[in-house]
């Protein structure tokens, strides 16, 4: 059971570069989300999806795009990286609206220089 | 919007002793879920315990138990017989049970160190 898989685990970007953080789950979960974790801030929701083709913004969506073309994958795109996007990024999934247990990937540590 | 507050940024405890981590939250909803997540140095987020707001009985999972006070909007985590492997960041989190339950709202975390 792979669960929720995030790639890469570590990444260094230069300001202005773009990249995509990958997230895949093999549990047929409807709900998927991206969070960022900053020191002293806990985890904050960036974007979420309640099913293939359906996405919406969370608390801190600026500078990020998402799409959900399949149930399994939910990539997060940084369009033009900024130092303020230096953070640890977590992808999470849960089965559906009736279930509460969220499963997290192992995180991606992103540094923008 | 709901908020979750963890007022203890850091705590320490001796191995085999008991420690309690505090969490308060604010919401106008009556149906929701509360969680404690553990994040060890490996960075993995691990669900420790879950409480349904409609249940008066406090949840327990082995050495972990909660004190859920709905009227006071308080949700503390008690760790008994602390072990070195309990050293981690602990996050309190909130989720609505209704249509907005796509989202977990987290506190800022409490870093717990278990000393030998």
């Amino acid at each position: 059971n792979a669960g929720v898989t995030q790639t890469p685990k570590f990444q260094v970007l230069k300001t202005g570069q773009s990249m995509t953080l990958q997230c895949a789950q093999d549990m047929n979960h409807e709900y998927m989300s991206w969070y960022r974790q900053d020191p002293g801030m806990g985890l904050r929701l960036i974007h979420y999806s309640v099913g293939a083709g359906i996405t919406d913004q969370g608390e801190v969506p600026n500078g990020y795009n998402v799409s959900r073309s399949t149930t399994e994958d939910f990539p997060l795109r940084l369009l033009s990286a900024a130092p303020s996007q230096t953070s640890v990024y977590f992808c999470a999934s849960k089965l559906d609206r009736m279930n509460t247990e969220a499963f997290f990937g192992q995180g991606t540590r992103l540094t923008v220089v | 919007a709901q908020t979750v507050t963890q007022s203890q940024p850091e705590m320490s405890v001796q191995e085999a002793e008991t420690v309690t981590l505090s969490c308060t939250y604010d919401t106008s909803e009556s149906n929701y879920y509360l969680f404690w997540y553990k994040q060890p140095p490996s960075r993995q987020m691990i669900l420790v315990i879950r409480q349904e707001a409609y249940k008066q009985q406090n949840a327990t999972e082995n050495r972990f138990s909660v004190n859920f006070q709905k009227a006071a909007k308080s949700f503390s985590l008690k760790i008994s017989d602390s072990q070195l492997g309990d050293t981690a960041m602990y996050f309190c989190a909130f989720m609505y049970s209704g249509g907005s339950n796509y989202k977990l709202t987290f506190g800022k975390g409490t870093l717990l160190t278990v000393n030998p």
Side-chain angles (χ1 to χ4, degrees):
Chain A
N1 266 350
V4 180
T5 303
Q6 288 183 237
T7 56
K9 289 186 172 50
F10 300 93
Q11 183 70 49
V12 178
L13 285 180
K14 293 183 178 179
T15 297
Q17 286 185 320
S18 62
M19 79 160 295
T20 300
L21 306 185
Q22 301 290 346
C23 176
Q25 52 88 11
D26 61 357
M27 299 173 282
N28 202 32
H29 284 180
E30 287 185 8
Y31 283 33
M32 296 186 74
S33 305
W34 278 101
Y35 293 85
R36 60 177 288 173
Q37 181 181 13
D38 301 296
M41 297 291 291
L43 281 75
R44 293 178 292 168
L45 183 66
I46 305 172
H47 285 284
Y48 68 96
S49 169
V50 297
I54 306 169
T55 64
D56 207 345
Q57 298 181 351
E59 299 172 64
V60 288
N62 292 341
Y64 308 96
N65 274 357
V66 292
S67 60
R68 183 103 180 266
S69 56
T70 68
T71 299
E72 294 78 18
D73 299 300
F74 191 44
L76 179 72
R77 297 183 186 84
L78 281 70
L79 307 175
S80 177
S84 61
Q85 294 178 304
T86 293
S87 189
V88 178
Y89 292 85
F90 285 95
C91 180
S93 72
K94 73 183 185 84
L95 181 60
D96 53 31
R97 190 177 72 81
M98 299 303 296
N99 283 269
T100 62
E101 184 171 3
F103 294 80
F104 285 81
Q106 288 198 305
T108 297
R109 180 175 293 279
L110 176 68
T111 302
V112 183
V113 299
Chain B
Q2 69 282 358
T3 58
V4 177
T5 301
Q6 294 179 248
S7 59
Q8 305 151 315
E10 294 187 34
M11 295 188 72
S12 63
V13 64
Q14 294 298 120
E15 197 174 5
E17 292 187 345
T18 295
V19 64
T20 299
L21 280 58
S22 300
C23 173
T24 59
Y25 60 94
D26 188 23
T27 182
S28 58
E29 298 291 327
S30 57
N31 295 320
Y32 50 86
Y33 297 88
L34 295 163
F35 307 83
W36 279 98
Y37 279 88
K38 170 185 178 181
Q39 186 181 45
S42 68
R43 208 165 65 198
Q44 183 68 47
M45 293 290 287
I46 302 165
L47 177 63
V48 174
I49 201 164
R50 176 182 60 190
Q51 175 77 43
E52 293 92 339
Y54 64 86
K55 289 188 177 178
Q56 290 187 337
Q57 186 173 6
N58 290 323
T60 62
E61 289 287 345
N62 300 315
R63 298 182 295 108
F64 298 88
S65 62
V66 299
N67 183 4
F68 174 49
Q69 301 290 327
K70 190 172 184 180
K73 295 180 181 174
S74 171
F75 183 60
S76 61
L77 175 69
K78 185 172 81 171
I79 306 174
S80 304
D81 185 26
S82 297
Q83 301 176 358
L84 296 178
D86 295 334
T87 292
M89 181 73 83
Y90 286 81
F91 291 100
C92 179
F94 173 103
M95 178 189 288
Y96 285 120
S97 64
S100 300
N101 71 346
Y102 55 83
K103 173 183 176 179
L104 281 161
T105 299
F106 288 88
K108 294 182 178 181
T110 296
L111 180 60
L112 176 67
T113 302
V114 180
N115 299 308

